[in-house]
Amino acid sequence: MASEAEHQEEHHGLQPMQYVKIGVLLTAITVVELGVSYWEAVSHMLLPILFVLSGIKFAIVVALFMHLKFDNPLFTRLFLMSFVLGSVVLTMLTALFWTDATLTN
Amino acid sequence: MAAAAQIEHHASSTGTDNRKLLMWIFLGSECLFFGSLLATYLIFKGEPTTATNDHGLLMIPANLLDIPLTSQSTFVLLMSSLTMVLAVYGAQTNRLKMMKLWLLATIVLGLIFIGYQVFEFTTFGNEGLNPSTNQFGASFFLLTGFHGVHVGIGVLYLGSLLLASFRRTGLGPEAGVHVELAGLYWHFVDIVWIVLFTVIYLIPA
């Protein structure tokens, strides 16, 4: 019993039912994403809507499933730094090639 | 006591477990890796092409990508993240049967996802799209193929943990840490797919 209690203290996160609810929420967001991508009426707003929705899914998985919300802040800083750097690389590369089409020819 | 001593042995000067720190650094480097691959895809997906399939359709994303099919595989990968976090919970709370069950479920879901990808690649191949057809084909197969390889490595990683858990000593006193590290990798593969699914499949050319 003592050993189990000791192990239980090691878990820093949510309870199984809470994880299941998050799984349902993630599925619901994916269904909304899919619906929005086929919905002509919001086609002019499609990009920002999809970015926000996938951003929410991304944040939920990173914060709750990967336990960044409950873990040492060092891991959050490390991951955010890499993510921002990766996004900057992506933005700079696409901007460079989209503005100068001759580079891909 | 033994477990606490071992965990202390792995502590780094930052006060965190050095294996976990290493995994986060590795995942950080993967952000740059997939960022570069995604940029390559975005640059080349709109390139003009004259290649057509048997029905005379141009080999461009709008004519080839099957969104309903990929939505199913996305759902499978999302559910595998759920089963993975339940396996981590089982390992950290010493519920070994729960851990094994959810590890197995995660492996099965990972294999189903790979099956979807193989089906998609085969369909594209039958349509005449392969990495040498045009720049869209090259960058698409490179990006989604590398993600598929990551899923495959994850399946092997989880499979090795599951096999090890059937030994007499199981995963040892640090089962929670071992499964949590595998979980971090698996969830990362999932978040990469969240981005890829939105950018490749949902956002029209």
Side-chain angles (χ1 to χ4, degrees):
Chain A
M1 286 295 281
S3 165
E4 190 161 319
E6 212 170 86
H7 278 288
Q8 292 225 6
E9 279 167 24
E10 278 178 25
H11 177 72
H12 40 272
L14 305 172
Q15 294 302 307
M17 269 318 287
Q18 291 172 301
Y19 286 130
V20 172
K21 285 177 186 166
I22 293 167
V24 172
L25 177 67
L26 289 172
T27 308
I29 296 173
T30 307
V31 171
V32 172
E33 274 183 331
L34 194 60
V36 165
S37 68
Y38 281 110
W39 194 8
E40 286 292 322
V42 292
S43 57
H44 61 289
M45 289 285 290
L46 189 61
L47 234 82
I49 292 172
L50 288 178
F51 271 121
V52 169
L53 288 174
S54 63
I56 292 171
K57 282 205 294 187
F58 187 97
I60 288 173
V61 174
V62 171
L64 302 175
F65 281 2
M66 293 173 94
H67 295 151
L68 269 191
K69 190 182 173 197
F70 315 103
D71 226 328
N72 192 315
L74 174 73
F75 299 139
T76 308
R77 284 199 288 270
L78 201 62
F79 184 68
L80 274 183
M81 202 172 68
S82 314
F83 181 72
V84 169
L85 199 56
S87 305
V88 168
V89 168
L90 192 154
T91 312
M92 298 305 263
L93 275 174
T94 45
L96 175 69
F97 280 84
W98 279 350
T99 50
D100 188 355
T102 56
L103 288 173
T104 58
N105 294 330
Chain B
M1 283 292 282
Q6 283 214 16
I7 289 165
E8 225 166 74
H9 174 70
H10 286 290
S12 62
S13 58
T14 57
T16 59
D17 188 307
N18 55 14
R19 293 162 299 181
K20 215 164 149 181
L21 187 61
L22 184 66
M23 179 55 87
W24 276 109
I25 292 171
F26 168 68
L27 297 181
S29 73
E30 290 278 277
C31 283
L32 295 174
F33 177 72
F34 277 104
S36 307
L37 286 181
L38 192 57
T40 311
Y41 173 78
L42 288 173
I43 290 162
F44 290 125
K45 78 166 186 171
E47 284 299 293
T49 180
T50 52
T52 56
N53 64 9
D54 296 341
H55 313 292
L57 291 171
L58 281 175
M59 298 281 195
I60 56 170
N63 293 336
L64 292 163
L65 300 176
D66 188 346
I67 296 176
L69 180 88
T70 320
S71 306
Q72 292 169 30
S73 64
T74 302
F75 172 74
V76 168
L77 205 59
L78 275 178
M79 289 303 102
S80 77
S81 252
L82 174 62
T83 55
M84 187 68 235
V85 81
L86 291 174
V88 172
Y89 179 86
Q92 290 181 337
T93 55
N94 212 23
R95 294 177 170 91
L96 297 182
K97 273 187 183 168
M98 179 184 181
M99 177 196 80
K100 288 175 189 172
L101 174 75
W102 292 119
L103 269 182
L104 180 65
T106 311
I107 292 167
V108 170
L109 290 170
L111 288 172
I112 293 173
F113 179 83
I114 292 173
Y116 269 107
Q117 201 159 41
V118 168
F119 176 77
E120 185 185 40
F121 282 10
T122 310
T123 309
F124 284 177
N126 292 338
E127 291 273 331
L129 181 75
N130 57 55
S132 59
T133 306
N134 55 22
Q135 287 171 324
F136 158 66
S139 54
F140 173 83
F141 281 107
L142 186 72
L143 179 55
T144 56
F146 259 113
H147 179 265
V149 168
H150 277 74
V151 177
I153 291 170
V155 167
L156 292 176
Y157 188 0
L158 297 181
S160 68
L161 282 180
L162 185 62
L163 278 181
S165 72
F166 284 105
R167 289 182 312 192
R168 193 173 51 80
T169 51
L171 290 175
E174 294 187 284
V177 180
H178 293 310
V179 180
E180 187 183 7
L181 290 177
L184 288 177
Y185 176 82
W186 192 263
H187 296 309
F188 179 78
V189 170
D190 184 32
I191 57 172
V192 168
W193 187 253
I194 288 173
V195 176
L196 297 192
F197 175 63
T198 307
V199 175
I200 299 177
Y201 294 89
L202 296 182
I203 297 175

PDB file of all heavy atoms in Angstrom, chain A residues 71-90:
ATOM      1  N   ASP A  71       4.562  20.274 -15.369  1.00  0.00           N
ATOM      2  CA  ASP A  71       5.975  19.909 -15.254  1.00  0.00           C
ATOM      3  C   ASP A  71       6.852  21.129 -14.984  1.00  0.00           C
ATOM      4  O   ASP A  71       6.374  22.253 -14.881  1.00  0.00           O
ATOM      5  CB  ASP A  71       6.407  19.215 -16.557  1.00  0.00           C
ATOM      6  CG  ASP A  71       7.202  17.954 -16.274  1.00  0.00           C
ATOM      7  OD1 ASP A  71       7.903  17.954 -15.259  1.00  0.00           O
ATOM      8  OD2 ASP A  71       7.110  16.998 -17.053  1.00  0.00           O
ATOM      9  N   ASN A  72       8.156  20.867 -14.910  1.00  0.00           N
ATOM     10  CA  ASN A  72       9.136  21.924 -14.679  1.00  0.00           C
ATOM     11  C   ASN A  72       9.038  22.980 -15.796  1.00  0.00           C
ATOM     12  O   ASN A  72       9.047  22.624 -16.975  1.00  0.00           O
ATOM     13  CB  ASN A  72      10.541  21.285 -14.682  1.00  0.00           C
ATOM     14  CG  ASN A  72      11.602  22.213 -14.163  1.00  0.00           C
ATOM     15  OD1 ASN A  72      11.632  23.384 -14.527  1.00  0.00           O
ATOM     16  ND2 ASN A  72      12.461  21.697 -13.309  1.00  0.00           N
ATOM     17  N   PRO A  73       8.961  24.274 -15.443  1.00  0.00           N
ATOM     18  CA  PRO A  73       8.835  25.341 -16.466  1.00  0.00           C
ATOM     19  C   PRO A  73       9.987  25.359 -17.463  1.00  0.00           C
ATOM     20  O   PRO A  73       9.848  25.879 -18.567  1.00  0.00           O
ATOM     21  CB  PRO A  73       8.808  26.637 -15.658  1.00  0.00           C
ATOM     22  CG  PRO A  73       8.547  26.232 -14.254  1.00  0.00           C
ATOM     23  CD  PRO A  73       8.950  24.803 -14.089  1.00  0.00           C
ATOM     24  N   LEU A  74      11.113  24.766 -17.070  1.00  0.00           N
ATOM     25  CA  LEU A  74      12.269  24.714 -17.975  1.00  0.00           C
ATOM     26  C   LEU A  74      11.900  24.001 -19.278  1.00  0.00           C
ATOM     27  O   LEU A  74      12.283  24.437 -20.368  1.00  0.00           O
ATOM     28  CB  LEU A  74      13.420  23.973 -17.292  1.00  0.00           C
ATOM     29  CG  LEU A  74      14.650  23.701 -18.154  1.00  0.00           C
ATOM     30  CD1 LEU A  74      15.430  24.986 -18.396  1.00  0.00           C
ATOM     31  CD2 LEU A  74      15.549  22.658 -17.524  1.00  0.00           C
ATOM     32  N   PHE A  75      11.112  22.923 -19.178  1.00  0.00           N
ATOM     33  CA  PHE A  75      10.711  22.165 -20.371  1.00  0.00           C
ATOM     34  C   PHE A  75       9.815  23.020 -21.277  1.00  0.00           C
ATOM     35  O   PHE A  75       9.929  22.971 -22.500  1.00  0.00           O
ATOM     36  CB  PHE A  75       9.971  20.877 -19.986  1.00  0.00           C
ATOM     37  CG  PHE A  75      10.795  19.918 -19.169  1.00  0.00           C
ATOM     38  CD1 PHE A  75      10.242  19.231 -18.102  1.00  0.00           C
ATOM     39  CD2 PHE A  75      12.126  19.706 -19.470  1.00  0.00           C
ATOM     40  CE1 PHE A  75      11.002  18.352 -17.343  1.00  0.00           C
ATOM     41  CE2 PHE A  75      12.899  18.827 -18.719  1.00  0.00           C
ATOM     42  CZ  PHE A  75      12.331  18.152 -17.654  1.00  0.00           C
ATOM     43  N   THR A  76       8.936  23.798 -20.655  1.00  0.00           N
ATOM     44  CA  THR A  76       8.052  24.679 -21.433  1.00  0.00           C
ATOM     45  C   THR A  76       8.886  25.701 -22.197  1.00  0.00           C
ATOM     46  O   THR A  76       8.676  25.919 -23.396  1.00  0.00           O
ATOM     47  CB  THR A  76       7.064  25.403 -20.502  1.00  0.00           C
ATOM     48  OG1 THR A  76       6.417  24.437 -19.696  1.00  0.00           O
ATOM     49  CG2 THR A  76       6.031  26.195 -21.282  1.00  0.00           C
ATOM     50  N   ARG A  77       9.851  26.301 -21.507  1.00  0.00           N
ATOM     51  CA  ARG A  77      10.690  27.319 -22.150  1.00  0.00           C
ATOM     52  C   ARG A  77      11.493  26.703 -23.296  1.00  0.00           C
ATOM     53  O   ARG A  77      11.600  27.263 -24.384  1.00  0.00           O
ATOM     54  CB  ARG A  77      11.622  27.949 -21.112  1.00  0.00           C
ATOM     55  CG  ARG A  77      10.917  28.937 -20.187  1.00  0.00           C
ATOM     56  CD  ARG A  77      11.924  29.858 -19.525  1.00  0.00           C
ATOM     57  NE  ARG A  77      12.711  29.162 -18.529  1.00  0.00           N
ATOM     58  CZ  ARG A  77      12.395  29.053 -17.245  1.00  0.00           C
ATOM     59  NH1 ARG A  77      11.282  29.603 -16.797  1.00  0.00           N
ATOM     60  NH2 ARG A  77      13.162  28.411 -16.398  1.00  0.00           N
ATOM     61  N   LEU A  78      12.040  25.525 -23.012  1.00  0.00           N
ATOM     62  CA  LEU A  78      12.854  24.823 -24.014  1.00  0.00           C
ATOM     63  C   LEU A  78      12.026  24.516 -25.268  1.00  0.00           C
ATOM     64  O   LEU A  78      12.460  24.766 -26.399  1.00  0.00           O
ATOM     65  CB  LEU A  78      13.344  23.508 -23.390  1.00  0.00           C
ATOM     66  CG  LEU A  78      14.552  22.828 -23.982  1.00  0.00           C
ATOM     67  CD1 LEU A  78      15.775  23.718 -23.871  1.00  0.00           C
ATOM     68  CD2 LEU A  78      14.800  21.506 -23.260  1.00  0.00           C
ATOM     69  N   PHE A  79      10.833  24.004 -25.059  1.00  0.00           N
ATOM     70  CA  PHE A  79       9.994  23.610 -26.192  1.00  0.00           C
ATOM     71  C   PHE A  79       9.491  24.843 -26.949  1.00  0.00           C
ATOM     72  O   PHE A  79       9.514  24.869 -28.182  1.00  0.00           O
ATOM     73  CB  PHE A  79       8.813  22.760 -25.708  1.00  0.00           C
ATOM     74  CG  PHE A  79       7.964  22.238 -26.836  1.00  0.00           C
ATOM     75  CD1 PHE A  79       8.459  21.281 -27.715  1.00  0.00           C
ATOM     76  CD2 PHE A  79       6.686  22.729 -27.047  1.00  0.00           C
ATOM     77  CE1 PHE A  79       7.693  20.813 -28.764  1.00  0.00           C
ATOM     78  CE2 PHE A  79       5.918  22.260 -28.104  1.00  0.00           C
ATOM     79  CZ  PHE A  79       6.419  21.303 -28.959  1.00  0.00           C
ATOM     80  N   LEU A  80       9.061  25.862 -26.196  1.00  0.00           N
ATOM     81  CA  LEU A  80       8.555  27.080 -26.855  1.00  0.00           C
ATOM     82  C   LEU A  80       9.643  27.731 -27.701  1.00  0.00           C
ATOM     83  O   LEU A  80       9.394  28.181 -28.823  1.00  0.00           O
ATOM     84  CB  LEU A  80       8.050  28.073 -25.811  1.00  0.00           C
ATOM     85  CG  LEU A  80       6.597  27.891 -25.368  1.00  0.00           C
ATOM     86  CD1 LEU A  80       6.203  28.977 -24.377  1.00  0.00           C
ATOM     87  CD2 LEU A  80       5.651  27.936 -26.570  1.00  0.00           C
ATOM     88  N   MET A  81      10.849  27.754 -27.135  1.00  0.00           N
ATOM     89  CA  MET A  81      11.978  28.359 -27.852  1.00  0.00           C
ATOM     90  C   MET A  81      12.207  27.631 -29.187  1.00  0.00           C
ATOM     91  O   MET A  81      12.335  28.256 -30.240  1.00  0.00           O
ATOM     92  CB  MET A  81      13.222  28.259 -26.982  1.00  0.00           C
ATOM     93  CG  MET A  81      14.306  29.240 -27.284  1.00  0.00           C
ATOM     94  SD  MET A  81      15.579  29.149 -26.027  1.00  0.00           S
ATOM     95  CE  MET A  81      16.274  27.531 -26.323  1.00  0.00           C
ATOM     96  N   SER A  82      12.209  26.292 -29.124  1.00  0.00           N
ATOM     97  CA  SER A  82      12.429  25.497 -30.338  1.00  0.00           C
ATOM     98  C   SER A  82      11.273  25.664 -31.313  1.00  0.00           C
ATOM     99  O   SER A  82      11.471  25.753 -32.526  1.00  0.00           O
ATOM    100  CB  SER A  82      12.559  24.015 -29.991  1.00  0.00           C
ATOM    101  OG  SER A  82      13.402  23.841 -28.924  1.00  0.00           O
ATOM    102  N   PHE A  83      10.061  25.705 -30.781  1.00  0.00           N
ATOM    103  CA  PHE A  83       8.884  25.834 -31.640  1.00  0.00           C
ATOM    104  C   PHE A  83       8.892  27.180 -32.369  1.00  0.00           C
ATOM    105  O   PHE A  83       8.628  27.250 -33.574  1.00  0.00           O
ATOM    106  CB  PHE A  83       7.604  25.679 -30.807  1.00  0.00           C
ATOM    107  CG  PHE A  83       6.346  25.785 -31.621  1.00  0.00           C
ATOM    108  CD1 PHE A  83       5.975  24.757 -32.482  1.00  0.00           C
ATOM    109  CD2 PHE A  83       5.546  26.924 -31.558  1.00  0.00           C
ATOM    110  CE1 PHE A  83       4.827  24.863 -33.254  1.00  0.00           C
ATOM    111  CE2 PHE A  83       4.400  27.037 -32.319  1.00  0.00           C
ATOM    112  CZ  PHE A  83       4.037  26.000 -33.172  1.00  0.00           C
ATOM    113  N   VAL A  84       9.220  28.237 -31.621  1.00  0.00           N
ATOM    114  CA  VAL A  84       9.272  29.576 -32.232  1.00  0.00           C
ATOM    115  C   VAL A  84      10.369  29.614 -33.295  1.00  0.00           C
ATOM    116  O   VAL A  84      10.165  30.113 -34.401  1.00  0.00           O
ATOM    117  CB  VAL A  84       9.494  30.663 -31.149  1.00  0.00           C
ATOM    118  CG1 VAL A  84       9.819  32.016 -31.781  1.00  0.00           C
ATOM    119  CG2 VAL A  84       8.268  30.770 -30.255  1.00  0.00           C
ATOM    120  N   LEU A  85      11.524  29.031 -32.962  1.00  0.00           N
ATOM    121  CA  LEU A  85      12.646  28.999 -33.915  1.00  0.00           C
ATOM    122  C   LEU A  85      12.239  28.228 -35.183  1.00  0.00           C
ATOM    123  O   LEU A  85      12.506  28.676 -36.307  1.00  0.00           O
ATOM    124  CB  LEU A  85      13.860  28.330 -33.247  1.00  0.00           C
ATOM    125  CG  LEU A  85      15.224  28.572 -33.868  1.00  0.00           C
ATOM    126  CD1 LEU A  85      15.531  30.053 -33.964  1.00  0.00           C
ATOM    127  CD2 LEU A  85      16.304  27.869 -33.058  1.00  0.00           C
ATOM    128  N   GLY A  86      11.581  27.083 -34.998  1.00  0.00           N
ATOM    129  CA  GLY A  86      11.103  26.282 -36.132  1.00  0.00           C
ATOM    130  C   GLY A  86      10.114  27.065 -36.981  1.00  0.00           C
ATOM    131  O   GLY A  86      10.160  27.034 -38.216  1.00  0.00           O
ATOM    132  N   SER A  87       9.216  27.804 -36.322  1.00  0.00           N
ATOM    133  CA  SER A  87       8.222  28.608 -37.040  1.00  0.00           C
ATOM    134  C   SER A  87       8.887  29.738 -37.817  1.00  0.00           C
ATOM    135  O   SER A  87       8.473  30.073 -38.931  1.00  0.00           O
ATOM    136  CB  SER A  87       7.205  29.206 -36.060  1.00  0.00           C
ATOM    137  OG  SER A  87       6.629  28.189 -35.303  1.00  0.00           O
ATOM    138  N   VAL A  88       9.936  30.321 -37.198  1.00  0.00           N
ATOM    139  CA  VAL A  88      10.660  31.407 -37.882  1.00  0.00           C
ATOM    140  C   VAL A  88      11.354  30.854 -39.134  1.00  0.00           C
ATOM    141  O   VAL A  88      11.290  31.462 -40.211  1.00  0.00           O
ATOM    142  CB  VAL A  88      11.685  32.077 -36.924  1.00  0.00           C
ATOM    143  CG1 VAL A  88      12.635  32.996 -37.688  1.00  0.00           C
ATOM    144  CG2 VAL A  88      10.963  32.849 -35.841  1.00  0.00           C
ATOM    145  N   VAL A  89      11.985  29.682 -38.999  1.00  0.00           N
ATOM    146  CA  VAL A  89      12.648  29.048 -40.152  1.00  0.00           C
ATOM    147  C   VAL A  89      11.626  28.824 -41.264  1.00  0.00           C
ATOM    148  O   VAL A  89      11.860  29.155 -42.433  1.00  0.00           O
ATOM    149  CB  VAL A  89      13.302  27.702 -39.732  1.00  0.00           C
ATOM    150  CG1 VAL A  89      13.728  26.894 -40.958  1.00  0.00           C
ATOM    151  CG2 VAL A  89      14.496  27.946 -38.841  1.00  0.00           C
ATOM    152  N   LEU A  90      10.459  28.292 -40.879  1.00  0.00           N
ATOM    153  CA  LEU A  90       9.400  28.014 -41.853  1.00  0.00           C
ATOM    154  C   LEU A  90       8.943  29.305 -42.544  1.00  0.00           C
ATOM    155  O   LEU A  90       8.855  29.375 -43.780  1.00  0.00           O
ATOM    156  CB  LEU A  90       8.217  27.368 -41.104  1.00  0.00           C
ATOM    157  CG  LEU A  90       7.113  26.723 -41.934  1.00  0.00           C
ATOM    158  CD1 LEU A  90       6.435  25.643 -41.096  1.00  0.00           C
ATOM    159  CD2 LEU A  90       6.055  27.685 -42.401  1.00  0.00           C
TER     160      LEU A  90
END
